[in-house]
Amino acid sequence: MAQSDTVDRILNAAEELFAERGFSETSLRMITSKANVNLAAVNYHFGSKNALIQAVFARFLTPFSETLDKAFDDLERRCKGEPPTLQQTLWVLTESAVRMPHRNEKGISIFMRLLGLAYTQSQGHLRKFLEQEYSEPFGRLMRLLKAGTPQLSAVDRYWRIQFMLGATAFTMSSSDALREILENKLGIDTTVQEIAARLVPFLAAGLQADDPISVPKTA
Amino acid sequence: MAQSDTVDRILNAAEELFAERGFSETSLRMITSKANVNLAAVNYHFGSKNALIQAVFARFLTPFSETLDKAFDDLERRCKGEPPTLQQTLWVLTESAVRMPHRNEKGISIFMRLLGLAYTQSQGHLRKFLEQEYSEPFGRLMRLLKAGTPQLSAVDRYWRIQFMLGATAFTMSSSDALREILENKLGIDTTVQEIAARLVPFLAAGLQADDPISVPKTA
DNA sequence: ATAACCATCAAACGTATGTTTTAAACATAC
DNA sequence: GTATGTTTAAAACATACGTTTGATGGTTAT
């Protein structure tokens, strides 16, 4: 073949297995046998397992950050100087994620699950890589969230953004299982888009909650 | 010695290392050398690494579920037939977690981090163990949450509880890292109690958000 | 005193991991 | 058609893992 697709097959298999099982729990042999390539191919093409992990993230994060950047440009153009509202920012964010071209119908939930894992699993090299490569679009999102919640102190905003990321990554990462449970329990089918549509008002309300750090009614 | 403290030393070391690094990333050799016991002691006293993981959870989850049960009894008694409000339920939950007797000042954050890991890391045996052992207090919490959000449809409530669990588990599972980032950025030190106190109003507001499934302003 | 029991220890076991090596097959350019 | 650089293949590498073994010492009960 003119150009081998070995690299892509490895990336596809690794992406799926990482999302299912986490990084440490996924061996190179699982990946290469799922991808139907030789074991040595990973180290040949990527150099190491850690570099493969980073490559998996780069493959979807790079186009996503470009899409997001353009969508934010669009949003700010429509707002003509006025800072975008929190709901607008959140909606552009979820829309960009959902609208990304995905390799299959599981793409969006794999995407989310990987983001959650990047935060959760203590992979020092990954955190460094993501901070170096994607600090700019991340910073832009943070600035927009800040503009959308001018009433919050920096500390309040920081924590509430963490809560927001948690709710999103967690829900999306297990959206398949959650959708299935709901289907069995109430006979209702839900799309990822609908989940996102439910998530946005939840997050917006949480981010903007009045916050007289509630005192217990306990005696 | 009359009674060896080997078991407790193993549990203490394991608890701390699991919380720091996750389960797969923590080897028995790390644990036994931190605990200053022989490598074989783990398999002798617990049988296997998985059984040790479960024992670590049981040691704090069993007393916690008893404390929580009594606190819910208390709450319902104070409410005299009226269903407790959502804020009351959430507050009793976090209060019970915070008020638990802990072995040291890191105890509460280790507790939280482990709970987050239990959700996040795909340890099949752990999930089964927790479901079997603690289904009753978990079910009670779910019933109270339902009573506290009577205005929600079953579907809305289902998803919003998932969002809530996600925000909590995710934040708690990376609370150390998040606290550290905040310390470096703004020079502010945060206790786990403060995080919990910030989380409650966020969750309460999100759970009770008005929900006219927001339509994008996008063209 | 002696037997039974339990906890500890160093050492080894078998397995699985990430990585490297060697040779063969391949496509492409001359 | 042969040479060249690239990709695959199979095997072996060293290392780390969870677990098991068999000997040893100490405590308890008979």
Side-chain angles (χ1 to χ4, degrees), chain A residues 58-81:
Chain A
R59 185 170 63 152
F60 75 81
L61 227 39
T62 298
F64 173 65
S65 73
E66 281 168 19
T67 299
L68 188 61
D69 208 48
K70 282 177 194 150
F72 281 152
D73 287 344
D74 239 48
L75 175 62
E76 292 191 318
R77 200 174 312 118
R78 286 203 312 278
C79 290
K80 307 177 203 257

Tab-separated table of all heavy atoms in Angstrom, chain A residues 58-81:
chain	number	residue	atom	x	y	z
A	58	ALA	N	-3.968	14.122	21.150
A	58	ALA	CA	-3.722	15.148	20.149
A	58	ALA	C	-4.639	14.975	18.949
A	58	ALA	O	-5.104	15.951	18.367
A	58	ALA	CB	-2.251	15.103	19.708
A	59	ARG	N	-4.939	13.741	18.590
A	59	ARG	CA	-5.724	13.509	17.378
A	59	ARG	C	-7.109	14.119	17.443
A	59	ARG	O	-7.643	14.582	16.444
A	59	ARG	CB	-5.836	12.004	17.086
A	59	ARG	CG	-6.538	11.734	15.772
A	59	ARG	CD	-6.469	10.317	15.338
A	59	ARG	NE	-7.131	9.383	16.233
A	59	ARG	CZ	-7.663	8.238	15.837
A	59	ARG	NH1	-7.615	7.900	14.561
A	59	ARG	NH2	-8.229	7.424	16.699
A	60	PHE	N	-7.733	14.103	18.631
A	60	PHE	CA	-9.060	14.729	18.657
A	60	PHE	C	-9.038	16.110	19.290
A	60	PHE	O	-9.910	16.927	19.030
A	60	PHE	CB	-10.096	13.821	19.333
A	60	PHE	CG	-10.000	13.739	20.826
A	60	PHE	CD1	-10.548	14.738	21.628
A	60	PHE	CD2	-9.400	12.658	21.435
A	60	PHE	CE1	-10.472	14.658	23.009
A	60	PHE	CE2	-9.315	12.576	22.812
A	60	PHE	CZ	-9.844	13.582	23.601
A	61	LEU	N	-8.018	16.381	20.097
A	61	LEU	CA	-8.011	17.667	20.778
A	61	LEU	C	-7.576	18.795	19.854
A	61	LEU	O	-8.071	19.927	19.981
A	61	LEU	CB	-7.093	17.584	22.002
A	61	LEU	CG	-7.642	18.145	23.308
A	61	LEU	CD1	-9.113	17.822	23.478
A	61	LEU	CD2	-6.842	17.618	24.484
A	62	THR	N	-6.678	18.507	18.938
A	62	THR	CA	-6.214	19.559	18.037
A	62	THR	C	-7.329	20.067	17.118
A	62	THR	O	-7.597	21.271	17.095
A	62	THR	CB	-5.005	19.069	17.225
A	62	THR	OG1	-3.936	18.760	18.134
A	62	THR	CG2	-4.539	20.122	16.251
A	63	PRO	N	-8.028	19.167	16.389
A	63	PRO	CA	-9.147	19.710	15.587
A	63	PRO	C	-10.248	20.311	16.455
A	63	PRO	O	-10.873	21.304	16.070
A	63	PRO	CB	-9.655	18.479	14.824
A	63	PRO	CG	-9.054	17.304	15.477
A	63	PRO	CD	-7.793	17.748	16.137
A	64	PHE	N	-10.472	19.732	17.622
A	64	PHE	CA	-11.537	20.281	18.470
A	64	PHE	C	-11.209	21.692	18.921
A	64	PHE	O	-12.077	22.576	18.916
A	64	PHE	CB	-11.768	19.387	19.688
A	64	PHE	CG	-12.728	19.970	20.682
A	64	PHE	CD1	-14.055	20.168	20.345
A	64	PHE	CD2	-12.294	20.350	21.944
A	64	PHE	CE1	-14.943	20.727	21.250
A	64	PHE	CE2	-13.183	20.901	22.862
A	64	PHE	CZ	-14.507	21.088	22.512
A	65	SER	N	-9.963	21.919	19.296
A	65	SER	CA	-9.626	23.259	19.779
A	65	SER	C	-9.714	24.274	18.637
A	65	SER	O	-10.050	25.436	18.867
A	65	SER	CB	-8.239	23.261	20.413
A	65	SER	OG	-7.240	23.169	19.435
A	66	GLU	N	-9.474	23.820	17.398
A	66	GLU	CA	-9.649	24.734	16.268
A	66	GLU	C	-11.125	25.051	16.034
A	66	GLU	O	-11.508	26.207	15.849
A	66	GLU	CB	-9.048	24.113	14.995
A	66	GLU	CG	-7.533	24.234	14.937
A	66	GLU	CD	-6.946	23.370	13.828
A	66	GLU	OE1	-7.701	22.995	12.909
A	66	GLU	OE2	-5.743	23.061	13.909
A	67	THR	N	-11.946	24.004	16.064
A	67	THR	CA	-13.386	24.205	15.927
A	67	THR	C	-13.913	25.153	16.993
A	67	THR	O	-14.679	26.088	16.716
A	67	THR	CB	-14.116	22.858	16.043
A	67	THR	OG1	-13.662	22.002	15.001
A	67	THR	CG2	-15.621	23.040	15.945
A	68	LEU	N	-13.462	24.919	18.206
A	68	LEU	CA	-13.947	25.727	19.326
A	68	LEU	C	-13.512	27.177	19.158
A	68	LEU	O	-14.291	28.111	19.415
A	68	LEU	CB	-13.403	25.149	20.632
A	68	LEU	CG	-13.962	25.751	21.911
A	68	LEU	CD1	-15.466	25.534	21.991
A	68	LEU	CD2	-13.274	25.128	23.130
A	69	ASP	N	-12.282	27.355	18.708
A	69	ASP	CA	-11.773	28.702	18.540
A	69	ASP	C	-12.618	29.480	17.534
A	69	ASP	O	-13.007	30.627	17.779
A	69	ASP	CB	-10.305	28.620	18.074
A	69	ASP	CG	-9.520	29.839	18.500
A	69	ASP	OD1	-9.610	30.216	19.690
A	69	ASP	OD2	-8.832	30.426	17.648
A	70	LYS	N	-12.943	28.813	16.425
A	70	LYS	CA	-13.776	29.494	15.420
A	70	LYS	C	-15.168	29.771	15.958
A	70	LYS	O	-15.758	30.817	15.705
A	70	LYS	CB	-13.866	28.629	14.154
A	70	LYS	CG	-12.615	28.715	13.297
A	70	LYS	CD	-12.714	27.789	12.084
A	70	LYS	CE	-11.341	27.621	11.435
A	70	LYS	NZ	-11.193	26.308	10.790
A	71	ALA	N	-15.710	28.821	16.705
A	71	ALA	CA	-17.052	29.023	17.254
A	71	ALA	C	-17.064	30.191	18.226
A	71	ALA	O	-18.037	30.961	18.285
A	71	ALA	CB	-17.519	27.738	17.947
A	72	PHE	N	-15.994	30.348	18.979
A	72	PHE	CA	-15.915	31.488	19.897
A	72	PHE	C	-15.765	32.795	19.129
A	72	PHE	O	-16.353	33.816	19.506
A	72	PHE	CB	-14.748	31.303	20.877
A	72	PHE	CG	-15.058	30.358	22.009
A	72	PHE	CD1	-14.038	29.637	22.635
A	72	PHE	CD2	-16.361	30.183	22.470
A	72	PHE	CE1	-14.306	28.773	23.684
A	72	PHE	CE2	-16.635	29.311	23.518
A	72	PHE	CZ	-15.617	28.610	24.121
A	73	ASP	N	-14.989	32.753	18.056
A	73	ASP	CA	-14.908	33.931	17.199
A	73	ASP	C	-16.300	34.354	16.744
A	73	ASP	O	-16.691	35.514	16.850
A	73	ASP	CB	-14.047	33.633	15.959
A	73	ASP	CG	-12.565	33.554	16.288
A	73	ASP	OD1	-12.185	34.014	17.382
A	73	ASP	OD2	-11.807	33.038	15.458
A	74	ASP	N	-17.030	33.381	16.245
A	74	ASP	CA	-18.402	33.593	15.800
A	74	ASP	C	-19.256	34.227	16.887
A	74	ASP	O	-19.962	35.210	16.652
A	74	ASP	CB	-19.008	32.240	15.415
A	74	ASP	CG	-19.456	32.219	13.982
A	74	ASP	OD1	-18.658	32.651	13.123
A	74	ASP	OD2	-20.602	31.781	13.734
A	75	LEU	N	-19.178	33.632	18.052
A	75	LEU	CA	-20.008	34.093	19.171
A	75	LEU	C	-19.683	35.545	19.505
A	75	LEU	O	-20.585	36.377	19.658
A	75	LEU	CB	-19.763	33.191	20.384
A	75	LEU	CG	-20.471	33.605	21.686
A	75	LEU	CD1	-21.981	33.563	21.504
A	75	LEU	CD2	-20.044	32.695	22.836
A	76	GLU	N	-18.402	35.856	19.595
A	76	GLU	CA	-18.027	37.220	19.979
A	76	GLU	C	-18.407	38.212	18.884
A	76	GLU	O	-18.740	39.363	19.176
A	76	GLU	CB	-16.526	37.276	20.267
A	76	GLU	CG	-16.181	36.477	21.531
A	76	GLU	CD	-14.754	36.722	22.025
A	76	GLU	OE1	-13.843	36.778	21.178
A	76	GLU	OE2	-14.581	36.828	23.249
A	77	ARG	N	-18.361	37.749	17.625
A	77	ARG	CA	-18.788	38.629	16.547
A	77	ARG	C	-20.280	38.950	16.685
A	77	ARG	O	-20.707	40.087	16.560
A	77	ARG	CB	-18.498	37.966	15.194
A	77	ARG	CG	-18.459	38.933	14.044
A	77	ARG	CD	-18.013	38.270	12.739
A	77	ARG	NE	-16.801	37.469	12.930
A	77	ARG	CZ	-16.753	36.152	12.721
A	77	ARG	NH1	-17.825	35.509	12.304
A	77	ARG	NH2	-15.627	35.494	12.906
A	78	ARG	N	-21.077	37.915	16.996
A	78	ARG	CA	-22.518	38.136	17.145
A	78	ARG	C	-22.829	39.053	18.317
A	78	ARG	O	-23.862	39.719	18.342
A	78	ARG	CB	-23.224	36.788	17.345
A	78	ARG	CG	-23.320	35.944	16.096
A	78	ARG	CD	-24.474	34.946	16.191
A	78	ARG	NE	-24.473	34.219	17.459
A	78	ARG	CZ	-23.712	33.151	17.700
A	78	ARG	NH1	-22.911	32.691	16.768
A	78	ARG	NH2	-23.758	32.547	18.869
A	79	CYS	N	-21.927	39.047	19.334
A	79	CYS	CA	-22.208	39.835	20.535
A	79	CYS	C	-21.737	41.283	20.413
A	79	CYS	O	-22.044	42.117	21.269
A	79	CYS	CB	-21.544	39.184	21.741
A	79	CYS	SG	-22.339	37.627	22.219
A	80	LYS	N	-20.957	41.576	19.416
A	80	LYS	CA	-20.506	42.946	19.120
A	80	LYS	C	-20.057	43.691	20.372
A	80	LYS	O	-20.683	44.675	20.781
A	80	LYS	CB	-21.634	43.751	18.466
A	80	LYS	CG	-22.254	43.103	17.245
A	80	LYS	CD	-23.403	43.966	16.732
A	80	LYS	CE	-24.381	43.142	15.921
A	80	LYS	NZ	-24.301	43.283	14.504
A	81	GLY	N	-18.992	43.214	20.997
A	81	GLY	CA	-18.467	43.977	22.125
A	81	GLY	C	-19.017	43.552	23.470
A	81	GLY	O	-18.288	43.475	24.440
